Every structure is written in structure tokens, then in C-alpha cells.
Amino acid sequence: MGEMPESEYETTAQKKPLGIRFLEWLKKGTLSYKTYQVIVLIVTFLAYAAYHAARKTTSIVKSALDPASSKLGSTAKLWEINYVSQPTERKPITLPWTLGDGWAPFDGANGTGLLGEVDLAFLAVYAMGMYFSGHLGDRMNLRIFLTIGMVGTGVFTSLFGAGYWADIHNFYYFLAVQMLAGLFQSTGWPSVVAVVGNWCGKKKRGLIMGIWNAHTSIGNISGSLIAAAMLSYGWGWSFVVPGFVIAFVGLLVFLFLPVNPSSVGADRVEEDESSSPKKSNGEEVGLTEPLLSSSFKGKQEAVGFIEAWKIPGVAPFALCLFFSKLVAYTFLYWLPFYISHTAIDGKYLSSGTAGNLSTLFDVGGVVGGILAGHISDRLNARAITAAGFMYCAIPALYFYRSYGNVSLTMNIVLMLITGMFVNGPYALITTAVSADLGTHSSLKGNSRALATVTAIIDGTGSVGAAIGPLLTGYISATSWSAVFTMLMGAAFVAGLLLTKLVIAEVGAKIAESSRSQGSPSQSSHPVAELDV
């Protein structure tokens, strides 16, 4: 790649984020391409971890807003006395609320239903906003777009908590604030995936993005721990602290995030895979083009919404994620509540303890995301891996519901296993698969479809994420066993939706094996891509 003209170099330098200019001033020279990649991975990791930390808060506070279900009866009072601390010395004197009292209007007989409606409002707006965010993200400066989204998320997350000090008990206030929070939250995922896709190629993408996707679980874990720790000071702090955190990280994004190599004048580092022979693997239904091939010249136009849906593989993976995310988000929003309302070895745990224990589900999710990414890389088969994990999630869900109450140790072990199989395919589809589909060969090297494709897949998944917690809010009032039956059915359908792609991948592998055995020389030549 030739040297950049001095005038063009100066123009590019002026467009660099202030934080990047500061780092270059400290170094007294320009940053390397690898350094930019590290910065991108770290900043986007922190950004989406902050998104999830803010999102996780509601699930922890649920059991404080609605401390006991109608099915617990007098046992709930015994639970409050024996297992919930009453730190009145740290409670604001002007407010009568103590941990275990509940908060109107969520402490009534229909409390779980109202909490489910709040979740639905958040996730419905989040899902709809995702489609628009992807469309806007491919047409705007992603650094500015992401910053606005994070600061807005921080503001409305904090406003939900402000209801504690303002002594607000109007259901529609909390509903409206959560809807606006969901709108700003929708800016996150399309943006971070698009930025990472701009900087990272397809080589070991499943493993790299599987590790990077740990931000989801790390965010859930940190959000749970922060919210649980703040509960004893008043549930409002459980929202305000994560709100300030995400706003602060949004400032870091504004200062340090380079959107793509051209925006900072970085030389593209070619990957070995871009010049290596393609393999017939059927992964992502023929998604074998190198990411953002530098051989493409000319102005790139953002891909339209309908055109993005027509990319082979987008529809089945999007529908699969609908059911996969339904399962994952039901756990995200209701697991702490379920734990605190289920006797484990004959005892009920406090809201804070249940929140801390629920983080182990996300620990399993970290392992599952990395494992799914690594397996899909080794097998060269995204669909087979995702479907396999979803089918394994079915018995995991059954055993957790049936034997998770035997002992605390049994609950922990089964929770880790369930988290691994539930979050594994969710992580794989929303990262590596989305990036693969966003650079499908039918786009002819156009990189400006990443945010749109990512938004379509995750937006469709978010519709399922909205439905799962809503149904759980009502079904759980009758039977938690029915909730788990719903989740097992959703996992089965998710795997079933990938059947056509799984068959295509298996067929491609059989064909590749036959060619390798019949004519070794042919195995080194590219083969036709699958179009399913």
C-alpha cells in the first residue's frame, strides 16, 4: 500500500478521535494496525459490557420490588424474617422503604405481571429500535452514534432509579422510562459488531468473537453484583450506579474508538486467509469470502433493509435467534427472581444472594460462547454447532428445573451447564455468524451491510427476547414447570430452524471428503459456494 499524501494525512489526523491523538502524542508516532485492533476490541468490549450491566439491573431489583409471590403465602413472611437483612441504619431517613417491603405498584397480587409488562415494553422498543439503529449505523459515524446511545441509556436507566427518591408509584412512569431506555440500548449491538467487523478478518473469527462476546456475560455478572450490592442502600442506587457507568464508558468510546482503518489512516493488514484457497464447508451457507476484502474498489452504498434480508442464511439464523434469545433473556430477566422464590435445600435465599448466585449462569455463558466459537471454527460449521448446542440445552433445562432445588451445589453445577448450552449458540449467532453474513459474497465486497445485517438478526432475536420474559411473568404465577416446558420447546424449535443449513453443511463436508479422497490435487482449489 503506497504512502498517503501529506495533505491527506493531515486531514485524516484531524479526524482521529481525541484519545487516539493523545496516544500518538505520548508515543511520538502513529499507532500500528495491531494496536488499533487491540484498542477496538477493548473499547467495544467495555461498551457492550456496560450496556448489559445496565440492562441486567431490572432482574436483580425485581425481587425487591415484588418480594413475594402469592403462592408463597405465610412462608414468604418467614423468608423475609430469616433470610433478608434489614439494614435500616443505611436507609435514607426520609423514605420508609426497607429491603423486603416491596414497592407499589409492583408489590400487589399482579406484581409479576406488571414486571413482565415492563420487560416487554423495554424489549419491544429495543427490538424495533434495532432495525432502525442498524439502518442508521451504516449511514452515520458509528463512534458518535454509539456515544449518543450510551449516554442516553445512562440517563434513562438512572431516571428509573430516580423513582425511588421521588417516591413515584405510577406504573406508567416506569413503563415510559424503560421504553426510552430500550430505544437507546438498541444502538449498541449493531454498532459494536460493525466496528469489530471493520477491523477483524474471518481468520479464527468464531474463537476471537466468542472470547470477545464474553462482554455479554461479564456485563451481566458485573451488573448483577453492582445492583445486588446497592440494594441495601435503596433500590434506586441499583439503577443509578450502572447508569453513570455506561455514560462514562460512552465518553471513552467518543475519545478512543476508531470506526474503521480509513478513518485513522491505518494500513490494512492482509490476512493469510484472504489469499488462501477456500474450503467447501457450507458454514454460514457459503460465507467464505474474506472479511472486507481490500480488493474492492469504488464507493460503497449502504445496503437496503429488504436486500439484507435476502442474503442467503440471514432469515433462518434470524428466526433461530428469535427462539434462542427467548430462552436466554427469560433467564436474564427472571433467574434471580426464580432463585429467590424457589426453596433450595428447604431454604429461600435473599434477593441479594439470589442475584449473586444467578451470575453463575453467565459464567457458564462465557464458557459456552468461547466453546461454540472454537468448535464452529474447527468444524467449519456454524449451523451444526448452533443447532447442536440448542438441542443440548433441552435436557440441561429439564435437569435444572427438576434437580436444581436438591442442594446449592447441585443448583450451581446445573446452572453452569444450562448457561453454557443456552448462551453458546446465542453468542455464536450474534457475533461470528452476523459478521459472516454481513460480508456475504453476494455483497461483492461491500462492507456497509454489517450494521444492517447484525440489526436484522439481533432485532428479530430481540422480539423473542421480549416475548419470553412477558410470558414468564404470567405463566410463573401458575407454574414454573410450565415456564421451563416453554423454554425447552423454544430451544427445540431454534435447532429445528437450522435443519436446512445443517443438511447443507453436512452435504458440503461429504462432498469435500469425497473430492479429497478421489483427487488430492482438487482439494486445493476453490469450490462453488452453497446458496441455501
Side-chain angles (χ1 to χ4, degrees):
M1 183 176 286
E3 294 185 3
M4 186 181 299
E6 186 175 347
S7 59
E8 186 178 343
Y9 176 82
E10 291 175 354
T11 302
T12 301
Q14 292 173 357
K15 292 181 180 179
K16 291 181 180 180
L18 290 174
I20 296 297
R21 292 190 226 170
F22 176 71
L23 293 177
E24 291 184 337
W25 177 78
L26 289 178
K27 184 183 177 183
K28 293 181 172 53
T30 58
L31 303 178
S32 67
Y33 190 87
K34 292 294 183 183
T35 301
Y36 278 121
Q37 285 183 313
V38 171
I39 291 173
V40 166
L41 291 174
I42 292 175
V43 173
T44 53
F45 185 97
L46 292 174
Y48 213 68
Y51 270 107
H52 261 267
R55 194 178 307 171
K56 181 65 175 176
T57 294
T58 308
S59 68
I60 302 300
V61 179
K62 265 193 178 81
S63 52
L65 300 177
D66 178 22
S69 66
S70 58
K71 291 182 73 64
L72 289 176
S74 60
T75 308
K77 295 299 178 184
L78 182 64
W79 162 63
E80 289 178 16
I81 295 172
N82 292 339
Y83 294 95
V84 179
S85 59
Q86 305 286 337
T88 54
E89 69 279 2
R90 293 185 291 183
K91 174 179 65 66
I93 298 175
T94 57
L95 292 171
W97 184 85
T98 55
L99 197 61
D101 284 347
W103 189 270
F106 304 107
D107 59 349
N110 64 336
T112 54
L114 292 177
L115 289 169
E117 290 178 16
V118 170
D119 291 342
L120 173 67
F122 173 89
L123 291 168
V125 174
Y126 175 79
M128 291 185 291
M130 186 79 70
Y131 294 119
F132 292 103
S133 294
H135 183 77
L136 289 173
D138 279 329
R139 291 160 174 79
M140 289 181 61
N141 184 319
L142 287 172
R143 178 170 61 91
I144 305 299
F145 188 61
L146 193 54
T147 300
I148 293 173
M150 297 183 74
V151 173
T153 297
V155 168
F156 288 103
T157 299
S158 299
L159 283 176
F160 192 103
Y164 169 69
W165 291 284
D167 200 23
I168 297 174
H169 297 278
N170 188 317
F171 170 72
Y172 294 103
Y173 169 81
F174 297 107
L175 190 71
V177 168
Q178 277 295 83
M179 290 173 70
L180 290 169
L183 181 63
F184 281 97
Q185 280 259 0
S186 68
T187 61
W189 191 241
S191 301
V192 295
V193 173
V195 172
V196 171
N198 287 338
W199 284 96
C200 298
K202 190 172 178 291
K203 187 177 183 182
K204 296 183 179 178
R205 180 183 292 165
L207 177 60
I208 292 173
M209 298 195 82
I211 297 172
W212 173 75
N213 193 65
H215 53 51
T216 297
S217 296
I218 296 298
N220 289 340
I221 292 170
S222 59
S224 297
L225 295 177
I226 291 172
M230 292 294 105
L231 265 181
S232 59
Y233 296 96
W235 62 262
W237 287 109
S238 296
F239 285 92
V240 170
V241 174
F244 276 104
V245 169
I246 190 171
F248 174 75
V249 177
L251 178 62
L252 295 181
V253 166
F254 178 77
L255 292 174
F256 291 98
L257 184 65
V259 174
N260 52 50
S262 62
S263 68
V264 290
D267 288 338
R268 176 74 185 179
V269 175
E270 301 296 337
E271 299 196 48
D272 293 338
E273 63 173 350
S274 62
S275 58
S276 63
K278 301 175 187 175
K279 296 179 181 180
S280 174
N281 48 38
E283 74 176 275
E284 315 92 53
V285 285
L287 308 174
T288 56
E289 289 295 315
L291 183 61
L292 305 184
S293 174
S294 59
S295 62
F296 180 77
K297 304 294 182 181
K299 184 178 180 180
Q300 298 182 355
E301 297 294 334
V303 174
F305 183 79
I306 301 300
E307 184 181 357
W309 264 106
K310 294 178 180 179
I311 296 173
V314 168
F317 272 114
L319 293 174
C320 172
L321 190 63
F322 175 96
F323 291 97
S324 175
K325 213 167 177 181
L326 183 153
V327 179
Y329 267 64
T330 296
F331 273 89
L332 175 69
Y333 279 94
W334 285 101
L335 183 57
F337 187 91
Y338 171 74
I339 293 173
S340 65
H341 288 69
T342 301
I344 300 175
D345 196 17
K347 298 180 180 180
Y348 289 94
L349 302 179
S350 69
S351 300
T353 303
N356 292 334
L357 182 61
S358 70
T359 61
L360 295 175
F361 178 83
D362 294 295
V363 173
V366 172
V367 176
I370 296 173
L371 193 61
H374 179 63
I375 291 174
S376 70
D377 281 340
R378 293 294 299 270
L379 295 179
N380 291 318
R382 307 285 197 223
I384 291 175
T385 304
F389 269 68
M390 289 312 307
Y391 289 136
C392 288
I394 298 173
L397 288 164
Y398 173 79
F399 285 119
Y400 180 68
R401 170 57 183 166
S402 301
Y403 303 104
N405 62 342
V406 173
S407 68
L408 190 60
T409 301
M410 183 69 75
N411 189 286
I412 290 172
V413 171
L414 292 175
M415 191 189 303
L416 287 167
I417 295 173
T418 304
M420 181 178 70
F421 287 120
V422 168
N423 282 346
Y426 164 40
L428 180 65
I429 294 171
T430 55
T431 54
V433 170
S434 294
D436 289 341
L437 291 168
T439 54
H440 189 264
S441 59
S442 64
L443 298 171
K444 299 179 181 178
N446 189 350
S447 66
R448 300 194 63 189
L450 276 169
T452 301
V453 170
T454 300
I456 286 175
I457 293 176
D458 204 44
T460 303
S462 295
V463 176
I467 293 174
L470 173 69
L471 293 176
T472 300
Y474 290 101
I475 298 175
S476 62
T478 303
S479 169
W480 275 104
S481 294
V483 171
F484 276 82
T485 300
M486 173 189 74
L487 298 180
M488 288 186 283
F492 177 74
V493 174
L496 209 60
L497 284 166
L498 295 180
T499 300
K500 189 176 181 181
L501 308 187
V502 170
I503 293 173
E505 289 182 349
V506 171
K509 284 187 172 298
I510 293 174
E512 180 185 6
S513 177
S514 298
R515 276 191 301 272
S516 298
Q517 294 175 0
S519 178
S521 61
Q522 290 182 6
S523 63
S524 62
H525 294 288
V527 295
E529 291 184 334
L530 296 175
D531 239 0
V532 179

